[in-house]
Short mmCIF file of all heavy atoms in Angstrom, two decimals:
data_model
loop_
_atom_site.label_atom_id
_atom_site.label_comp_id
_atom_site.label_asym_id
_atom_site.label_seq_id
_atom_site.Cartn_x
_atom_site.Cartn_y
_atom_site.Cartn_z
N LYS A 225 3.99 6.48 4.04
CA LYS A 225 5.17 7.16 3.49
C LYS A 225 6.46 6.53 4.00
O LYS A 225 7.45 6.42 3.25
CB LYS A 225 5.13 8.65 3.84
CG LYS A 225 6.29 9.43 3.22
CD LYS A 225 6.19 10.91 3.52
CE LYS A 225 7.35 11.68 2.86
NZ LYS A 225 7.27 13.13 3.14
N ALA A 226 6.45 6.12 5.28
CA ALA A 226 7.62 5.48 5.90
C ALA A 226 7.14 4.83 7.19
O ALA A 226 6.98 5.50 8.21
CB ALA A 226 8.72 6.50 6.19
N THR A 227 6.88 3.52 7.13
CA THR A 227 6.16 2.86 8.22
C THR A 227 6.92 2.88 9.56
O THR A 227 6.29 2.95 10.61
CB THR A 227 5.85 1.40 7.85
OG1 THR A 227 7.06 0.73 7.45
CG2 THR A 227 4.86 1.35 6.70
N THR A 228 8.22 2.82 9.51
CA THR A 228 8.99 2.87 10.76
C THR A 228 9.11 4.29 11.27
O THR A 228 8.88 4.58 12.45
CB THR A 228 10.39 2.27 10.57
OG1 THR A 228 10.27 0.89 10.17
CG2 THR A 228 11.19 2.35 11.86
N TYR A 229 9.45 5.22 10.39
CA TYR A 229 9.66 6.62 10.79
C TYR A 229 8.39 7.23 11.37
O TYR A 229 8.46 8.03 12.31
CB TYR A 229 10.11 7.43 9.57
CG TYR A 229 10.57 8.83 9.90
CD1 TYR A 229 11.87 9.07 10.33
CD2 TYR A 229 9.70 9.91 9.78
CE1 TYR A 229 12.30 10.35 10.63
CE2 TYR A 229 10.12 11.20 10.08
CZ TYR A 229 11.42 11.41 10.50
OH TYR A 229 11.83 12.69 10.81
N TYR A 230 7.23 6.84 10.84
CA TYR A 230 5.97 7.42 11.31
C TYR A 230 5.16 6.44 12.15
O TYR A 230 3.95 6.59 12.29
CB TYR A 230 5.13 7.89 10.11
CG TYR A 230 5.75 9.06 9.38
CD1 TYR A 230 6.26 8.91 8.10
CD2 TYR A 230 5.84 10.31 9.97
CE1 TYR A 230 6.83 9.98 7.42
CE2 TYR A 230 6.42 11.39 9.31
CZ TYR A 230 6.91 11.21 8.04
OH TYR A 230 7.49 12.27 7.37
N ASN A 231 5.82 5.43 12.72
CA ASN A 231 5.14 4.49 13.59
C ASN A 231 4.60 5.23 14.83
O ASN A 231 5.36 5.82 15.59
CB ASN A 231 6.12 3.40 14.05
CG ASN A 231 5.46 2.33 14.88
OD1 ASN A 231 4.83 2.59 15.89
ND2 ASN A 231 5.61 1.09 14.45
N PRO A 232 3.28 5.23 15.04
CA PRO A 232 2.70 6.03 16.13
C PRO A 232 3.04 5.53 17.52
O PRO A 232 2.97 6.28 18.49
CB PRO A 232 1.20 5.95 15.85
CG PRO A 232 1.02 4.67 15.09
CD PRO A 232 2.25 4.53 14.25
N ARG A 233 3.41 4.26 17.64
CA ARG A 233 3.80 3.73 18.95
C ARG A 233 5.20 4.19 19.32
O ARG A 233 5.45 4.59 20.45
CB ARG A 233 3.75 2.20 18.92
CG ARG A 233 4.19 1.55 20.24
CD ARG A 233 4.03 0.04 20.15
NE ARG A 233 4.93 -0.55 19.17
CZ ARG A 233 6.19 -0.91 19.42
NH1 ARG A 233 6.72 -0.70 20.63
NH2 ARG A 233 6.93 -1.47 18.47
N LYS A 234 6.11 4.19 18.34
CA LYS A 234 7.50 4.56 18.61
C LYS A 234 7.73 6.07 18.54
O LYS A 234 8.50 6.62 19.32
CB LYS A 234 8.42 3.86 17.61
CG LYS A 234 8.44 2.35 17.70
CD LYS A 234 9.37 1.76 16.65
CE LYS A 234 9.43 0.25 16.75
NZ LYS A 234 10.31 -0.34 15.69
N TYR A 235 7.06 6.71 17.60
CA TYR A 235 7.31 8.14 17.35
C TYR A 235 5.98 8.89 17.24
O TYR A 235 5.57 9.32 16.15
CB TYR A 235 8.12 8.33 16.07
CG TYR A 235 9.37 7.47 16.02
CD1 TYR A 235 9.44 6.36 15.18
CD2 TYR A 235 10.47 7.77 16.82
CE1 TYR A 235 10.58 5.57 15.14
CE2 TYR A 235 11.61 6.98 16.78
CZ TYR A 235 11.66 5.88 15.94
OH TYR A 235 12.79 5.09 15.90
N PRO A 236 5.28 9.07 18.36
CA PRO A 236 3.94 9.68 18.33
C PRO A 236 3.91 11.10 17.77
O PRO A 236 2.96 11.46 17.06
CB PRO A 236 3.50 9.64 19.80
CG PRO A 236 4.76 9.46 20.59
CD PRO A 236 5.67 8.67 19.73
N GLU A 237 4.93 11.90 18.05
CA GLU A 237 4.92 13.28 17.55
C GLU A 237 5.07 13.32 16.04
O GLU A 237 4.41 14.09 15.35
CB GLU A 237 6.03 14.09 18.22
CG GLU A 237 5.71 14.49 19.66
CD GLU A 237 4.39 15.23 19.78
OE1 GLU A 237 4.18 16.18 18.99
OE2 GLU A 237 3.57 14.86 20.63
N ARG A 238 5.96 12.48 15.51
CA ARG A 238 6.10 12.39 14.06
C ARG A 238 4.79 11.94 13.42
O ARG A 238 4.36 12.47 12.39
CB ARG A 238 7.20 11.39 13.69
CG ARG A 238 8.61 11.80 14.04
CD ARG A 238 9.54 10.68 13.61
NE ARG A 238 10.90 10.88 14.09
CZ ARG A 238 11.86 9.97 14.01
NH1 ARG A 238 11.59 8.79 13.44
NH2 ARG A 238 13.08 10.22 14.46
N ALA A 239 4.18 10.92 14.03
CA ALA A 239 2.94 10.38 13.49
C ALA A 239 1.82 11.41 13.50
O ALA A 239 1.03 11.50 12.56
CB ALA A 239 2.52 9.14 14.28
N LYS A 240 1.79 12.21 14.56
CA LYS A 240 0.76 13.25 14.65
C LYS A 240 0.96 14.32 13.58
O LYS A 240 0.00 14.77 12.94
CB LYS A 240 0.78 13.89 16.04
CG LYS A 240 -0.32 14.92 16.26
CD LYS A 240 -0.29 15.47 17.67
CE LYS A 240 -1.37 16.53 17.85
NZ LYS A 240 -1.34 17.11 19.22
N LYS A 241 2.20 14.74 13.38
CA LYS A 241 2.48 15.74 12.33
C LYS A 241 2.13 15.20 10.96
O LYS A 241 1.55 15.90 10.12
CB LYS A 241 3.95 16.15 12.38
CG LYS A 241 4.32 17.00 13.58
CD LYS A 241 5.79 17.37 13.57
CE LYS A 241 6.16 18.22 14.78
NZ LYS A 241 7.62 18.56 14.80
N ARG A 242 2.46 13.95 10.72
CA ARG A 242 2.14 13.33 9.43
C ARG A 242 0.63 13.17 9.27
O ARG A 242 0.08 13.35 8.18
CB ARG A 242 2.83 11.97 9.33
CG ARG A 242 2.58 11.22 8.03
CD ARG A 242 3.11 11.95 6.84
NE ARG A 242 2.76 11.24 5.60
CZ ARG A 242 2.81 11.79 4.40
NH1 ARG A 242 3.19 13.03 4.24
NH2 ARG A 242 2.48 11.08 3.33
N ARG A 243 -0.06 12.83 10.35
CA ARG A 243 -1.53 12.75 10.33
C ARG A 243 -2.12 14.08 9.86
O ARG A 243 -3.04 14.11 9.02
CB ARG A 243 -2.04 12.43 11.73
CG ARG A 243 -3.56 12.46 11.86
CD ARG A 243 -4.02 12.57 13.31
NE ARG A 243 -3.81 13.90 13.85
CZ ARG A 243 -4.17 14.26 15.09
NH1 ARG A 243 -4.69 13.36 15.92
NH2 ARG A 243 -3.95 15.50 15.51
N ASN A 244 -1.58 15.17 10.37
CA ASN A 244 -2.11 16.49 10.02
C ASN A 244 -1.81 16.86 8.57
O ASN A 244 -2.57 17.59 7.93
CB ASN A 244 -1.55 17.54 10.97
CG ASN A 244 -2.09 17.37 12.39
OD1 ASN A 244 -3.04 16.61 12.61
ND2 ASN A 244 -1.49 18.05 13.35
N VAL A 245 -0.70 16.33 8.03
CA VAL A 245 -0.41 16.52 6.60
C VAL A 245 -1.48 15.83 5.76
O VAL A 245 -1.97 16.37 4.77
CB VAL A 245 0.99 15.98 6.25
CG1 VAL A 245 1.19 15.95 4.73
CG2 VAL A 245 2.07 16.84 6.89
N VAL A 246 -1.84 14.61 6.16
CA VAL A 246 -2.89 13.86 5.45
C VAL A 246 -4.20 14.64 5.48
O VAL A 246 -4.89 14.76 4.46
CB VAL A 246 -3.07 12.46 6.08
CG1 VAL A 246 -4.29 11.75 5.49
CG2 VAL A 246 -1.82 11.63 5.89
N LEU A 247 -4.56 15.18 6.63
CA LEU A 247 -5.79 15.96 6.75
C LEU A 247 -5.75 17.19 5.85
O LEU A 247 -6.76 17.56 5.23
CB LEU A 247 -6.03 16.35 8.21
CG LEU A 247 -6.28 15.18 9.17
CD1 LEU A 247 -6.29 15.67 10.61
CD2 LEU A 247 -7.58 14.46 8.83
N SER A 248 -4.60 17.84 5.76
CA SER A 248 -4.45 19.00 4.88
C SER A 248 -4.61 18.61 3.42
O SER A 248 -5.20 19.35 2.62
CB SER A 248 -3.07 19.66 5.10
OG SER A 248 -2.99 20.22 6.39
N GLN A 249 -4.07 17.45 3.06
CA GLN A 249 -4.23 16.96 1.69
C GLN A 249 -5.70 16.71 1.36
O GLN A 249 -6.16 16.97 0.24
CB GLN A 249 -3.44 15.66 1.49
CG GLN A 249 -1.94 15.84 1.39
CD GLN A 249 -1.54 16.59 0.12
OE1 GLN A 249 -1.17 17.76 0.18
NE2 GLN A 249 -1.62 15.93 -1.01
N MET A 250 -6.43 16.22 2.33
CA MET A 250 -7.85 15.97 2.11
C MET A 250 -8.62 17.27 1.89
O MET A 250 -9.56 17.32 1.08
CB MET A 250 -8.43 15.19 3.29
CG MET A 250 -7.84 13.80 3.45
SD MET A 250 -8.65 12.82 4.73
CE MET A 250 -10.23 12.47 3.94
N VAL A 251 -8.23 18.29 2.60
CA VAL A 251 -8.84 19.61 2.39
C VAL A 251 -8.49 20.13 1.01
O VAL A 251 -9.35 20.64 0.26
CB VAL A 251 -8.38 20.61 3.47
CG1 VAL A 251 -8.86 22.03 3.14
CG2 VAL A 251 -8.88 20.18 4.84
#
Side-chain angles (χ1 to χ4, degrees):
K225 183 177 181 180
T227 54
T228 299
Y229 189 83
Y230 293 111
N231 184 304
R233 178 177 65 86
K234 296 179 179 178
Y235 309 107
E237 285 305 311
R238 291 180 189 171
K240 184 177 178 181
K241 289 180 181 178
R242 180 63 184 164
R243 174 198 74 178
N244 292 348
V245 170
V246 172
L247 295 172
S248 293
Q249 285 294 105
M250 295 187 72
V251 172

